[in-house]
Amino acid sequence: MAPVDPHSFADSDHPFATHVALSLYVDFSTSSINGTALISLPSPHSGTLTLDTRSLHIATVLHSETLTPLPHDLSSPPDPIKGQALTVTLSSQSSFLVSFSTSPSSSALQWLSPPQTSGKAAPFVYTQCQAIHARSIFPCQDTPAARICYSARLNIPASLCAVMSAARVSRREPRPGEAAPACPDAAWCAEDRLVEEFEMAQRIPPYLFAFAVGEIKGREVGPRTWVYAEGGPEVVDAAAREFAGTEEMILVGEKLFGPYEWERFDLLVLPPSFPYGGMENPRMVFLTPTVIRGDASGAQVVAHELAHSWTGNLITNKTNEHFWLNEGFTTYAERRIVEAVQGEERASLNIGIGWKGLNDEMERFKDNMEFTKLKQNQSGVDPDDVYSQVPYEKGFHFLWRVERQIGRDAFDQFLKKYIATFKFQSLDTETFVDFLKANVPGIEHEVDLETWVYGTGIPSDATEPVSSVYSKIVSLAKEFTLGRMPGEEEVAEWQGQEWELYLENLPRPAEPSQVAALDARFSLAESRDWEVKVAFLEWAISSGCNEYFTAVEKALKEVGRMKYLRPLYTVLVQGAAKEEGKVLAQRLFAEARESYHPIAQGVVETILSKHL
């Protein structure tokens, strides 16, 4: 056996599936899905085939034509990271049918009761499959090395709506036998149920499989874009205003990176528990409501997810050890789009915030510098535990360094050729480096590729952004040490990003009186911009300002985005008032845990177990 991915049971000696046809009965009463997966291979295969599963009950595996049982085995005990291997024995077969059901503890699914939703009227369920969670929805070769097409029938309550990262085919009455043997016709064809059908005809890695079911409304904001949301028309309207410039960004992306290959670029604003800022699911990007800031700056998150349409979705890292190929390229592409649409100064602020974040990650991983590399060794490591800004920001700075060396025009030509050459493929770091050397002759003598890709830390030729706005804000932050706060006139034009950059560059810890004075002048703890609010609260707690515990509690019970949970829980257990903070962190997590997505629950559990 030769594994293709340290996070998968998939065997390199086995063929990769080419198509999966899913029939899924969404059961809110049990927080589970009963389903079948018809898995197709490129050609008849004899011998074993291994799939990834986690927290799935495998009812049976059947011959796809005769429906006779096939030999299969589910490994035990479960691997704490990979789950369980489902090994099926085939005899010259090119397809087979798996009947299964998910567990309420599925790591990809969050089931929300009506009180947990924004609308408060109907239940809601959504998926988050990155990095290795698709296996907790259906059995698959859950590695980005294995790209698949899929079709899906979602059987849902007739009062609700489904959306998916795939083309909608129909909304219709259920038909008998569609989900046999996983779901009896009496349940599948009940009067209060409907089927929504979807088709993804382009090959995607399994982590891009996504759907949501609930009381979802939407409106058109461009020729290729609808905005959808759970939570009523006011959320849809706010999102439509925030993302009104989406089509302009798509056009800029096409000019920079080539044709947009996915037809639709729709947006779904999820409940506040969504663990990420955005998820680049093709055709249907998932977003946290915290990116709706009222000043269109949240569109930068959309720019990032849009950029993934070329780097990440079209070209995908072969395994999570090469994650920088997804995120470094996408961060670079995002900033090029932002620069074109919102200007160089706005892009420079984005780079500056990222630069501070990258330096903070060096401190986080100072005892395990492996995870400051671009190409990492993640054997035996849960990718969610080492998720960081390193692949994003160090990857960006590597590409920016190459751009500075060869010039923007030459780099743009290289980037377009790279995307055209490898689209709909998954590749590793070595393949990219070889392609770079072949297409930019002599680059290895001008840029130290070995240090950038395989070395730890931040290379010496990485540079901060150069812009008047960035320099002014950093200078103002340094003056805070001398007791000088910015004046009203100096911040009159500031948006969230300016404040975020300022706060992240303030001294830590600061005098509590200074923290209180800054908040009294600018009401930062109550900011509508979550980036500003969380940056301020983290700084305040690290400075021993326990009077902000109440604001931290309110924040941690309102949202489940890991970008906010991670720093706030960490500063509670590591801050100046560690003992009181630890007690508060434990209580908060006990009370808020069920409102967090399972991935976010795991991240907080890791933080608390390390420090308590």
Side-chain angles (χ1 to χ4, degrees):
M1 177 178 177
V4 298
D5 184 330
H7 302 122
S8 172
F9 292 108
D11 191 330
S12 62
D13 294 332
H14 297 167
F16 284 149
T18 55
H19 189 275
V20 179
L22 295 163
S23 294
L24 305 175
Y25 181 89
V26 180
D27 189 345
F28 283 99
S29 67
T30 60
S31 298
S32 64
I33 292 172
N34 295 320
T36 60
L38 176 61
I39 298 173
S40 298
L41 306 176
S43 59
H45 176 69
S46 294
T48 59
L49 185 81
T50 304
L51 305 175
D52 295 301
T53 76
R54 180 192 289 126
S55 303
L56 291 182
H57 169 68
I58 305 300
T60 187
V61 181
L62 302 174
H63 190 291
S64 59
E65 295 175 1
T66 66
L67 298 185
T68 54
L70 296 176
H72 64 277
D73 175 70
L74 197 62
S75 64
S76 186
D79 181 276
I81 296 172
K82 295 188 290 186
Q84 293 176 281
L86 173 61
T87 302
V88 180
T89 301
L90 303 175
S91 179
S92 192
Q93 289 155 255
S94 56
S95 64
F96 57 97
L97 186 72
V98 184
S99 175
F100 63 91
S101 58
T102 67
S103 161
S105 63
S106 165
S107 59
L109 293 164
Q110 184 171 24
W111 300 85
L112 300 174
S113 64
Q116 291 177 302
T117 66
S118 299
K120 310 296 183 187
F124 195 90
V125 63
Y126 70 91
T127 62
Q128 173 55 43
C129 291
Q130 196 177 41
I132 54 170
H133 301 283
R135 67 193 67 185
S136 70
I137 302 177
F138 64 98
C140 57
Q141 292 156 314
D142 195 7
T143 167
R147 303 178 74 100
I148 56 169
C149 300
Y150 71 85
S151 61
R153 302 180 185 121
L154 300 184
N155 186 300
I156 64 172
S159 60
L160 302 182
C161 174
V163 294
M164 200 163 199
S165 58
R168 183 185 297 276
V169 176
S170 68
R171 178 177 170 96
R172 58 169 176 79
E173 297 292 327
R175 296 168 189 153
E178 287 187 308
C183 184
D185 288 345
W188 184 265
C189 299
E191 287 186 7
D192 60 346
R193 307 290 295 193
L194 283 176
V195 166
E196 299 229 32
E197 283 190 289
F198 299 87
E199 179 77 37
M200 172 49 77
Q202 293 150 306
R203 293 180 296 116
I204 62 161
Y207 72 80
L208 291 177
F209 175 85
F211 68 82
V213 178
E215 198 172 64
I216 298 170
K217 307 295 183 183
R219 58 176 281 194
E220 188 174 32
V221 296
R224 288 179 274 194
T225 305
W226 272 61
V227 169
Y228 298 91
E230 180 277 321
E234 65 280 358
V235 181
V236 176
D237 291 344
R241 289 190 296 271
E242 191 81 17
F243 309 131
T246 298
E247 179 62 21
E248 182 184 2
M249 291 194 295
I250 298 173
L251 292 171
V252 169
E254 289 185 311
K255 183 178 178 182
L256 289 169
F257 314 121
Y260 181 78
E261 301 271 2
W262 305 96
E263 187 181 6
R264 300 290 306 169
F265 184 72
D266 294 328
L267 308 170
L268 172 66
V269 180
L270 286 162
S273 60
F274 184 57
Y276 292 101
M279 182 62 210
E280 64 270 19
N281 307 310
R283 301 182 64 102
M284 181 66 70
V285 166
F286 284 11
L287 295 167
T288 168
T290 63
V291 301
I292 302 175
R293 300 169 187 166
D295 60 4
S297 62
Q300 290 196 21
V301 174
V302 173
H304 184 88
E305 307 313 330
L306 169 64
H308 268 303
S309 301
W310 291 275
T311 55
N313 296 5
L314 265 190
I315 303 176
T316 307
N317 50 236
K318 200 167 191 175
T319 75
N320 209 70
E321 295 184 318
H322 309 274
F323 190 45
W324 80 273
L325 289 172
N326 276 22
E327 296 299 351
F329 271 91
T330 297
T331 302
Y332 175 87
E334 167 205 344
R335 287 168 180 162
R336 290 292 304 277
I337 294 172
V338 169
E339 179 183 314
V341 175
Q342 298 183 351
E344 288 186 24
E345 291 290 358
R346 188 59 51 188
S348 292
L349 284 175
N350 191 312
I351 296 170
I353 292 168
W355 176 255
K356 181 63 169 62
L358 178 60
N359 280 273
D360 289 346
E361 297 291 22
M362 297 303 114
E363 175 65 21
R364 173 186 168 191
F365 291 118
K366 63 184 179 183
D367 296 326
N368 195 342
M369 294 295 283
E370 175 66 27
F371 302 112
T372 68
K373 297 177 180 178
L374 289 183
K375 164 62 168 62
Q376 301 175 0
N377 178 2
Q378 293 189 6
S379 180
V381 175
D382 188 327
D384 290 336
D385 290 344
V386 294
Y387 176 86
S388 78
Q389 291 302 300
V390 172
Y392 296 75
E393 297 298 341
K394 188 174 179 180
F396 162 79
H397 278 279
F398 172 42
L399 298 174
W400 199 29
R401 173 69 183 89
V402 175
E403 182 210 280
R404 293 198 303 273
Q405 186 64 42
I406 68 175
R408 174 163 284 189
D409 288 345
F411 190 73
D412 283 353
Q413 292 176 28
F414 166 79
L415 197 54
K416 278 188 174 178
K417 185 176 182 181
Y418 167 70
I419 292 169
T421 301
F422 293 106
K423 68 179 183 178
F424 294 111
Q425 297 181 49
S426 300
L427 70 156
D428 56 24
T429 299
E430 290 68 32
T431 301
F432 169 73
V433 171
D434 288 345
F435 185 80
L436 176 64
K437 290 177 181 178
N439 287 274
V440 187
I443 188 65
E444 68 270 29
H445 304 302
E446 299 165 335
V447 176
D448 189 345
L449 304 183
E450 192 74 19
T451 295
W452 270 103
V453 174
Y454 302 107
T456 59
I458 303 174
S460 59
D461 52 346
T463 60
E464 289 187 72
V466 178
S467 85
S468 58
V469 173
Y470 174 79
S471 300
K472 176 65 174 175
I473 293 171
V474 172
S475 176
L476 282 173
K478 289 179 179 176
E479 290 179 8
F480 190 87
T481 309
L482 306 176
R484 180 180 179 275
M485 286 191 294
E488 297 279 356
E489 72 286 349
E490 290 176 295
V491 304
E493 301 297 320
W494 282 15
Q495 294 181 351
Q497 280 192 309
E498 286 88 344
W499 275 113
E500 186 182 355
L501 182 65
Y502 177 74
L503 290 166
E504 288 185 350
N505 281 278
L506 290 176
R508 293 167 187 259
E511 288 294 325
S513 60
Q514 290 181 301
V515 175
L518 188 68
D519 189 35
R521 179 176 292 186
F522 297 112
S523 302
L524 299 174
E526 299 301 320
S527 173
R528 289 179 56 205
D529 188 316
W530 276 89
E531 304 289 331
V532 176
K533 183 202 297 275
V534 172
F536 175 79
L537 291 176
E538 181 188 10
W539 176 63
I541 301 303
S542 71
S543 300
C545 300
N546 293 12
E547 63 267 30
Y548 289 100
F549 276 178
T550 300
V552 170
E553 177 169 356
K554 185 169 182 275
L556 289 174
K557 287 183 174 179
E558 248 179 79
V559 298
R561 186 178 177 184
M562 292 190 293
K563 185 178 183 181
Y564 308 146
L565 302 188
R566 188 179 279 111
L568 290 181
Y569 275 106
T570 298
V571 77
L572 284 177
V573 297
Q574 289 185 327
K578 281 191 289 189
E579 295 313 310
E580 292 175 74
K582 287 178 179 178
V583 171
L584 177 60
Q586 285 181 297
R587 177 176 65 79
L588 280 178
F589 186 54
E591 294 174 1
R593 186 181 191 281
E594 291 308 309
S595 68
Y596 298 156
H597 188 280
I599 297 173
Q601 291 176 9
V603 166
V604 178
E605 285 168 353
T606 298
I607 292 170
L608 298 185
S609 65
K610 183 178 179 180
H611 297 286
L612 299 183

